[in-house]
Amino acid sequence: MVDHVEFASKQVVDRFIDGWRKAGVQRYGFLIGRYEPYTEVPMGIKAVVEAIHEPMQQGEVDGLTVALPWEDEKRISELGSWCYHDTDMQKAGRGNVQVIGQIFTDLTPRPDDRSKLVYKRHAQSFFMSGLEATFAAKMQAEHPTSTKSSRTGEYGSRFVTVIVTGTEEGSIDMQSFQVSEQAVAMVQADMVVPSREPQTVIVRKETEGRYIPEVFYRSKNQYGIEVKESAKPTFPVDFLLVN
């Protein structure tokens, strides 16, 4: 997992958001950068974004369609492996330039004031929708972290998701997330699917020949007491997120 995300320069983000400013449709891109030690927390890791690559896509006012798989990813990763590959960088713990995550916009101007944005993502609505969370899980599964400590040579993922959205004041902000290892495993096992309600995901029903284990989550009831609840048929998508 990653503890912090930062951009190498303000221009990297500005160029990406300019696509929305000029066309008025949402944009998607892959984050190109490297991982470095993050000294603010013990054994911390941060993702440093050097560039954003936008694959083939069809943007809409309220969504977008991305052409996947990304055919250039292997070539970009190979080129990135040639960068920052020297002894000093390795001693500093800085990794090679590679694909480290994804970024997309969710920006809507206010009807009464087009210079400000709608405040969509907060504790009373959602931070990531069920569709976005399951997509992030699939992307994390496709970008595992290499490690010598695992028998398979891989464990977990450092692939991050950054969402560009509106703040309560109407300005632009970025929120970064990952989904948990449990979320990745549940999506790989086809146990959960997105719901029509963006703040929830659906646990699939058990069928003949298909066993679905019981899923529970803990929350506080109206009396402030922690209780265990069944996740069937739906449960809040927030329980899948790591912020």
Side-chain angles (χ1 to χ4, degrees):
M1 290 292 175
V2 170
D3 301 289
H4 179 69
V5 179
E6 65 181 51
F7 289 79
S9 68
K10 179 176 178 291
Q11 288 71 28
V12 173
V13 180
D14 282 342
R15 283 194 296 267
F16 177 70
I17 299 176
D18 275 345
W20 170 79
R21 291 191 179 112
K22 294 175 181 178
V25 296
Q26 308 306 327
R27 302 301 298 167
Y28 175 93
F30 286 101
L31 303 175
I32 313 297
R34 63 184 187 274
Y35 300 108
E36 296 184 4
Y38 183 55
T39 57
E40 299 300 317
V41 297
M43 301 180 67
I45 296 291
K46 68 178 178 180
V48 181
V49 181
E50 300 278 0
I52 298 174
H53 178 87
E54 297 185 49
M56 294 290 294
Q57 59 191 276
Q58 178 63 51
E60 304 290 345
V61 174
D62 58 351
L64 52 86
T65 302
V66 182
L68 293 175
W70 178 27
E71 295 180 355
D72 283 340
E73 182 171 1
K74 185 177 180 181
R75 181 176 63 87
I76 294 296
S77 297
E78 182 180 358
L79 291 173
S81 68
W82 301 345
C83 303
Y84 301 97
H85 194 66
D86 58 58
T87 304
D88 291 337
M89 296 290 287
Q90 291 177 354
K91 287 182 178 179
R94 297 179 178 179
N96 297 327
V97 173
Q98 57 187 293
V99 179
I100 60 175
Q102 61 185 352
I103 184 172
F104 59 87
T105 61
D106 182 18
L107 301 169
T108 303
R110 291 181 183 175
D112 58 331
D113 185 351
R114 302 285 294 180
S115 66
K116 294 184 178 182
L117 298 169
V118 176
Y119 182 42
K120 301 179 184 179
R121 298 170 184 261
H122 48 77
Q124 281 67 51
S125 60
F126 63 94
F127 295 104
M128 283 184 79
S129 70
L131 179 62
E132 293 162 354
T134 53
F135 180 64
K138 293 176 182 178
M139 295 301 288
Q140 287 181 210
E142 292 177 6
H143 297 82
T145 300
S146 299
T147 174
K148 296 179 181 178
S149 302
S150 171
R151 288 180 296 177
T152 63
E154 298 174 341
Y155 182 78
S157 176
R158 293 175 179 170
F159 191 90
V160 299
T161 297
V162 177
I163 304 171
V164 184
T165 187
T167 67
E168 190 171 5
E169 294 74 27
S171 58
I172 293 177
D173 189 26
M174 291 184 294
Q175 302 174 353
S176 56
F177 299 94
Q178 287 185 282
V179 296
S180 66
E181 290 301 310
Q182 293 91 336
V184 174
M186 292 174 74
V187 170
Q188 287 182 308
D190 197 27
M191 286 178 57
V192 294
V193 292
S195 166
R196 290 183 179 179
E197 299 296 330
Q199 66 269 27
T200 62
V201 290
I202 299 171
V203 179
R204 286 191 181 276
K205 293 182 179 179
E206 188 171 322
T207 59
E208 185 177 351
R210 174 75 190 280
Y211 171 69
I212 301 293
E214 290 294 326
V215 180
F216 298 93
Y217 67 95
R218 291 187 177 276
S219 64
K220 290 186 177 182
N221 61 18
Q222 64 269 35
Y223 306 108
I225 300 173
E226 188 175 274
V227 295
K228 183 170 72 172
E229 301 185 48
S230 173
K232 294 180 179 180
T234 65
F235 67 97
V237 68
D238 289 353
F239 286 90
L240 301 179
L241 306 184
V242 180
N243 179 219

